[in-house]
Amino acid sequence: MTPPTGTPASMQAAIVKNFGTDLAVENTDVPSPSGHQALVKLISSGVCHTDLHAAEGDWPLKPSPPFIPGHEGVGVVEAIGDQVSNLAVGDLVGNAWLWSACRHCEHCRTGWETLCESQENGGYTVDGSFGEYMLVDARYAPVIPEGADPFEVAPVLCAGVTVYKGLKRTEVQPGQWVVISGIGGLGHLAVQYAVAMGMRVVAVDIADDKLALAREHGAEITVNANVADPAVEIQEQIAGAHGVLVTAVHPAAFGQAINMTRRGGTIVFNGLPPGEFPAPIFDIVLKGLTIRGSIVGTRQDMIEALEFYAAGKIHPTFHRRGLEEINDVFEEMRHGKIEGRVVIEY
Ligand code: NAD
Ligand code: ZN
């Protein structure tokens, strides 16, 4: 495909060539938009732990190398396909994990497009935002609110919408307690969304610096799971939480959530480490618990999550890095060394 006039023929991108090896940062072709697609020149892209799972190939459903990861990209529309009616050249848009969906299946028809079995995923089944240009499906690309800082807003596009939807699914009401387990890219935003939604927050992580960040963002109680048993602490201090949102990247945190909960509580899993967790039948039945998974959010959830940002209620903690540093960033992520989110600057 040839890129539009005025657009360079090649771009720098970080490419997964083989699972579990360093990404290659090199030149590749700039894609051309057709049909419902738009070509976006990137300004920034958040780095999600899902990008690391993708590069490691550690999930059951694997992407096919070579591919370009990244699904928190923000940039300017440079060209549009002949079917695009809702975006124009110059608009500020993003990509998302929910890159597109079929629009016709039962899930799409009933407000659950996130469950569409024919969905495409940004940076996974289609090339993503770890490059100077990307394609988006104009029908699904989030429009960035006016006045947004393109670096600060990037983490909202996956981490933000995911935890916002996950918190809604906990059914925790204003004034009730929610535990956020895992205070990384997702979790530090979950603390902020929970506070903005009127919830009272307990934060759990295995690193004191993450817990300090959670307190800065409004957590009232923090527990280091490497130092104390978080379930015991939470039962002692608040007699169990009404809901738990697990964003951690270790399977141990998933089983622990069951005993953090008070009777009738709801546990929502956002984190996606490969593995399993023990689920004690007796506790789940006697306590009347609900345990559910939650995957990103719909286009409407995205609009709402961005509105919280635009209203000044959400301030992602982020650090800018260059694309050529992506392999170092992944190494820091493996060791839990990233505060908030890393955002790539183009
Ligand atoms: P991250 O690396 O930024 O943060 C992970 C956090 O988990 C770190 O703060 C780490 O210290 C903490 N942690 C590790 N072990 C823990 C334990 N035993 N107890 C408590 N905390 C622990 O990762 P992220 O970008 O926030 O992503 C988190 C997970 O969510 C990943 O598995 C990612 O793939 C997944 N994810 C899911 C969705 C979804 O829609 N469900 C969307 C985005 C990301
Ligand atoms: Zn993500």
Side-chain angles (χ1 to χ4, degrees), residues 48-50 71-72 158-159 186 341:
C48 179
H49 205 111
T50 291
H71 53 271
E72 286 183 351
C158 175
L186 264 63
R341 240 335 172 228

Side-chain angles (χ1 to χ4, degrees), residues 48-50 53 59 158 162 181-186 204-206 210 247-250 253 270-273 294-296 333 341:
C48 179
H49 205 111
T50 291
H53 292 303
W59 285 349
C158 175
T162 298
S181 173
I183 308 295
L186 264 63
V204 177
D205 202 289
I206 51 169
K210 304 291 176 76
T247 73
V249 284
H250 196 285
N270 272 163
L272 276 163
S294 185
I295 177 80
V296 293
M333 187 177 266
R341 240 335 172 228

Side-chain angles (χ1 to χ4, degrees), residues 229-268:
D229 180 335
V232 171
E233 284 291 318
I234 289 163
Q235 291 300 339
E236 269 177 22
Q237 294 197 41
I238 58 166
H242 301 85
V244 182
L245 183 72
V246 183
T247 73
V249 284
H250 196 285
F254 291 71
Q256 268 171 353
I258 291 166
N259 291 326
M260 294 178 185
T261 316
R262 74 172 67 177
R263 290 185 166 217
T266 298
I267 297 165
V268 174

Side-chain angles (χ1 to χ4, degrees), residues 162-244:
T162 298
V163 299
Y164 170 62
K165 176 66 163 216
L167 284 164
K168 286 206 270 189
R169 300 286 288 151
T170 65
E171 297 175 27
V172 171
Q173 300 301 305
Q176 296 185 333
W177 286 99
V178 69
V179 177
I180 310 297
S181 173
I183 308 295
L186 264 63
H188 92 288
L189 289 186
V191 172
Q192 299 180 52
Y193 277 99
V195 169
M197 292 159 88
M199 303 175 188
R200 303 186 67 187
V201 176
V202 180
V204 177
D205 202 289
I206 51 169
D208 284 337
D209 54 338
K210 304 291 176 76
L211 296 172
L213 183 64
R215 273 193 296 274
E216 264 173 47
H217 286 308
E220 292 178 58
I221 298 172
T222 58
V223 185
N224 184 327
N226 271 351
V227 175
D229 180 335
V232 171
E233 284 291 318
I234 289 163
Q235 291 300 339
E236 269 177 22
Q237 294 197 41
I238 58 166
H242 301 85
V244 182

Side-chain angles (χ1 to χ4, degrees), residues 16-330:
V16 175
K17 295 204 160 168
N18 296 292
F19 293 130
T21 59
D22 275 0
L23 277 66
V25 181
E26 61 184 36
N27 274 351
T28 186
D29 291 348
V30 172
S32 269
S34 59
H36 292 285
Q37 298 169 347
L39 177 71
V40 176
K41 185 176 194 320
L42 280 142
I43 298 170
S44 62
S45 175
V47 181
C48 179
H49 205 111
T50 291
D51 299 315
L52 179 55
H53 292 303
E56 302 277 358
D58 64 14
W59 285 349
L61 277 174
K62 295 182 199 309
S64 314
F67 68 95
I68 302 172
H71 53 271
E72 286 183 351
V74 175
V76 180
V77 173
E78 188 154 310
I80 52 175
D82 57 6
Q83 307 272 315
V84 174
S85 55
N86 60 325
L87 290 182
V89 169
D91 286 353
L92 194 63
V93 301
N95 71 341
W97 176 255
L98 186 67
W99 194 89
S100 70
C102 82
R103 310 166 76 78
H104 304 296
C105 70
E106 180 180 336
H107 308 297
C108 284
R109 291 197 312 265
T110 56
W112 282 99
E113 59 196 17
T114 49
L115 304 181
C116 174
E117 294 192 53
S118 307
Q119 67 185 273
E120 298 286 354
N121 297 124
Y124 209 81
T125 64
V126 293
D127 282 338
S129 51
F130 289 1
E132 293 172 293
Y133 288 88
M134 65 178 178
L135 292 177
V136 297
D137 184 318
R139 298 167 299 182
Y140 288 82
V143 174
I144 305 301
E146 221 167 281
D149 173 333
F151 296 92
E152 190 187 44
V153 75
V156 174
L157 299 181
C158 175
V161 68
T162 298
V163 299
Y164 170 62
K165 176 66 163 216
L167 284 164
K168 286 206 270 189
R169 300 286 288 151
T170 65
E171 297 175 27
V172 171
Q173 300 301 305
Q176 296 185 333
W177 286 99
V178 69
V179 177
I180 310 297
S181 173
I183 308 295
L186 264 63
H188 92 288
L189 289 186
V191 172
Q192 299 180 52
Y193 277 99
V195 169
M197 292 159 88
M199 303 175 188
R200 303 186 67 187
V201 176
V202 180
V204 177
D205 202 289
I206 51 169
D208 284 337
D209 54 338
K210 304 291 176 76
L211 296 172
L213 183 64
R215 273 193 296 274
E216 264 173 47
H217 286 308
E220 292 178 58
I221 298 172
T222 58
V223 185
N224 184 327
N226 271 351
V227 175
D229 180 335
V232 171
E233 284 291 318
I234 289 163
Q235 291 300 339
E236 269 177 22
Q237 294 197 41
I238 58 166
H242 301 85
V244 182
L245 183 72
V246 183
T247 73
V249 284
H250 196 285
F254 291 71
Q256 268 171 353
I258 291 166
N259 291 326
M260 294 178 185
T261 316
R262 74 172 67 177
R263 290 185 166 217
T266 298
I267 297 165
V268 174
F269 294 157
N270 272 163
L272 276 163
E276 291 166 14
F277 70 97
I281 296 164
F282 192 82
D283 291 348
I284 294 168
V285 174
L286 271 273
K287 289 173 79 174
L289 301 182
T290 301
I291 301 178
R292 52 164 67 117
S294 185
I295 177 80
V296 293
T298 61
R299 288 169 291 174
Q300 181 58 28
D301 294 318
M302 180 74 91
I303 288 168
E304 293 171 16
L306 285 166
E307 280 173 354
F308 273 74
Y309 169 81
K313 296 175 191 298
I314 304 298
H315 297 284
T317 295
F318 67 100
H319 300 276
R320 296 182 197 209
R321 303 284 288 269
L323 185 64
E324 66 288 351
E325 294 177 88
I326 189 66
N327 293 305
D328 298 334
V329 171
F330 275 166

